[in-house]
Amino acid sequence: MRNIDITKKRIGIIGGGQLGKMMILEAKRLGLYAAVLDPAADCPAHSICDRHVIAGFDANEGYFELADHADVITYEFEHINAEALQILENRGHLVYPSVTSLKAIQNKYEQKNILNRNDIPVPRFAAVAGTDEIREYGEKDRFGYPLMLKTATGGYDGKGNALIHNEREIENAYRLLGGGAKGLMVEEFVDFEKEISIIACRGIDGTRVIYPIGENIHVNSILDTTIVPARIGDTAINEAASIADRVMEVFEGVGTFCIELFVAKNGKVYVNEVAPRPHNSGHYTIEACFANQFENHIRAIVGLPFGNVRLISPAVMVNLLGENDGAASLAGLEEAYRDPDVHVHLYGKACSKTGRKMGHLTVVNSTVDGAVEKARRAKSLVRVIGW
Ligand code: ADP
């Protein structure tokens, strides 16, 4: 048997936000060294990392410096400099998930093309160059209205999307999304019953594990609540799980991925998008599964077998968003903690902004209904206010 001291491995993470911080917490459980690249001196991961490279995400320099302090590089978000990572990968640095899978996912249009080519169901979509083409897809015999317009790159939390209800809204939507500077695509509007997501992990050797399915509720295009297990029928559950497994195969992802899907009112399941990283909708795994999405991500990228992804108990996760702008302060924690099923996570962001993700809370309970009720109560108590 080979004797490898895994604890000597150094992990480099691009992005020191809450996802990077939660990756480090798990890396530390295994005694690993963790370096972070983030331009913000006080980013959430700063307080617990071994080294912080303070540099931007656009230029190459920060990536190269991070690589000097890492045996394996990973990332907490996908809008990063893939060319810098490509140079590092070419020089023999380990980057997981691979730069090929990152590039395939960075562009939503390319991502959908790959899924479509591999017979993975997605809503009908098309690249569009200008308003005339958008108008064509709005016609009844094409996708019709309402019609989704999306930027191909750079979108998150719905910021690259516009829903067009009729022809008169086209010009405005086109301008709102930057007039094509980031590439544009149209997509048929899915009249969905539920939005769901699946956290899946794939190892360097191709081994895959799939977490239980979460049901997601978005408010203003930002994730508000995840309920697990998702309240959908067995057919949709099996279909979604098999789609997620195929997605992991297609992208040859190493690490934790999130596959967001729609369950349409007609019962069909479609992939909305794939994220090559742990995801907000997988935070429930911290309390509700034996091995959480961050632990299995770290295990994957250092070449260890996966921990058990089984659900211990139903769970509900609710995001804690900043209520206004100002220095962040927290209210209601003591009262919320009178219920021992409530678990609050605060990301350590000094500044609150309206709608900014400041933390989340997870409630575990023996029933889904019980967890929903307790989460609703806890959310009304715990508030992040700016002063
Ligand atoms: P982002 O990458 O910014 O999160 P998404 O493409 O996931 O953007 O879209 C954000 C939200 O917009 C989705 O969670 C869903 O509620 C809605 N949405 C996106 N695409 C469609 C679609 N084709 N049909 C219906 N709703 C959609």
Side-chain angles (χ1 to χ4, degrees), residues 108 150 156-158 161 187-190 195 262 272-273:
K108 273 189 192 175
K150 296 186 176 185
Y156 68 97
D157 287 343
N161 290 0
E187 209 172 87
E188 79 177 305
F189 182 80
V190 178
E195 287 193 82
F262 298 124
N272 173 31
E273 64 174 343

Side-chain angles (χ1 to χ4, degrees), residues 78-79 108 112 123-124 146-148 150-151 154-161 163 186-192 195 216 218 220-223 260-262 271-273 277 279:
E78 53 277 18
H79 303 310
K108 273 189 192 175
K112 287 244 155 75
R124 285 183 297 163
L147 180 68
M148 281 301 297
K150 296 186 176 185
T151 59
Y156 68 97
D157 287 343
K159 288 188 177 52
N161 290 0
L163 186 61
V186 286
E187 209 172 87
E188 79 177 305
F189 182 80
V190 178
D191 191 13
F192 57 77
E195 287 193 82
N216 297 326
H218 293 88
N220 299 327
S221 288
I222 300 177
L223 182 66
E260 293 184 71
L261 309 109
F262 298 124
V271 172
N272 173 31
E273 64 174 343
R277 54 172 171 83
H279 193 263

Side-chain angles (χ1 to χ4, degrees), residues 22-346:
M22 292 188 262
M23 281 184 201
I24 297 176
L25 288 172
E26 293 306 325
K28 286 289 154 202
R29 189 141 53 137
L30 290 176
L32 301 167
Y33 173 100
V36 151
L37 166 67
D38 196 290
D42 62 348
C43 66
H46 176 81
S47 63
I48 56 164
C49 67
D50 293 295
R51 177 173 285 266
H52 182 179
V53 177
I54 301 178
F57 296 122
D58 294 335
N60 289 355
E61 284 68 32
Y63 292 76
F64 296 167
E65 192 182 333
L66 183 77
D68 288 340
H69 303 282
D71 300 308
V72 54
I73 296 171
T74 189
Y75 39 90
E76 64 148 17
F77 73 122
E78 53 277 18
H79 303 310
I80 53 178
N81 180 349
E83 290 316 318
L85 286 177
Q86 185 70 72
I87 295 168
L88 289 171
E89 209 177 60
N90 294 346
R91 287 182 190 161
H93 288 276
L94 289 178
V95 180
Y96 289 134
S98 72
V99 182
T100 310
S101 38
L102 172 66
K103 283 183 178 169
I105 285 170
Q106 270 184 334
N107 183 306
K108 273 189 192 175
Y109 176 69
E110 289 308 327
Q111 185 194 122
K112 287 244 155 75
N113 261 328
I114 293 170
L115 294 169
N116 200 30
R117 268 205 307 276
N118 285 281
D119 296 324
I120 293 169
V122 290
R124 285 183 297 163
F125 67 101
V128 285
T131 50
D132 286 346
E133 267 188 287
I134 301 172
R135 199 164 290 112
E136 280 172 33
Y137 283 100
E139 310 261 313
K140 270 205 191 71
D141 56 344
R142 305 299 285 274
F143 301 171
Y145 295 106
L147 180 68
M148 281 301 297
L149 183 65
K150 296 186 176 185
T151 59
T153 57
Y156 68 97
D157 287 343
K159 288 188 177 52
N161 290 0
L163 186 61
I164 302 174
H165 298 90
N166 55 53
E167 209 180 320
R168 292 185 303 283
E169 292 182 6
I170 292 177
E171 285 291 341
N172 200 26
Y174 180 73
R175 238 179 302 118
L176 194 77
L177 298 191
K182 293 178 173 171
L184 285 176
M185 61 187 276
V186 286
E187 209 172 87
E188 79 177 305
F189 182 80
V190 178
D191 191 13
F192 57 77
E193 170 90 42
K194 292 259 158 82
E195 287 193 82
I196 58 171
S197 62
I198 302 192
I199 304 295
C201 309
R202 185 172 171 277
I204 296 167
D205 63 358
T207 317
R208 297 187 290 278
V209 286
I210 307 273
Y211 281 93
I213 302 177
E215 171 185 336
N216 297 326
I217 298 162
H218 293 88
V219 175
N220 299 327
S221 288
I222 300 177
L223 182 66
D224 181 82
T225 304
T226 300
I227 299 166
V228 194
R231 296 163 300 180
I232 55 174
D234 285 348
T235 315
I237 286 179
N238 295 334
E239 173 71 1
S242 116
I243 288 174
D245 193 51
R246 265 155 58 213
V247 167
M248 293 310 281
E249 225 178 323
V250 166
F251 288 109
E252 295 183 335
V254 170
T256 292
F257 277 51
C258 175
I259 299 104
E260 293 184 71
L261 309 109
F262 298 124
V263 181
K265 290 202 172 123
N266 64 12
K268 283 198 178 144
V269 179
Y270 300 96
V271 172
N272 173 31
E273 64 174 343
V274 177
R277 54 172 171 83
H279 193 263
N280 192 170
S281 65
H283 290 350
Y284 78 88
T285 62
I286 297 173
E287 283 85 12
C289 296
F290 289 98
N292 71 56
Q293 61 165 351
F294 301 99
E295 175 176 356
N296 273 336
H297 183 70
I298 297 296
R299 289 194 194 205
I301 67 171
V302 300
L304 290 168
F306 291 121
N308 191 344
V309 297
R310 195 162 64 74
L311 194 69
I312 301 168
S313 153
V316 172
M317 188 279 324
V318 181
N319 270 336
L320 300 172
L321 305 182
E323 292 190 11
N324 51 356
D325 297 2
S329 79
L330 186 77
L333 185 61
E334 256 182 78
E335 217 178 328
Y337 268 179
R338 294 216 173 94
D339 180 344
D341 288 342
V342 175
H343 304 268
V344 174
H345 297 246
L346 297 168

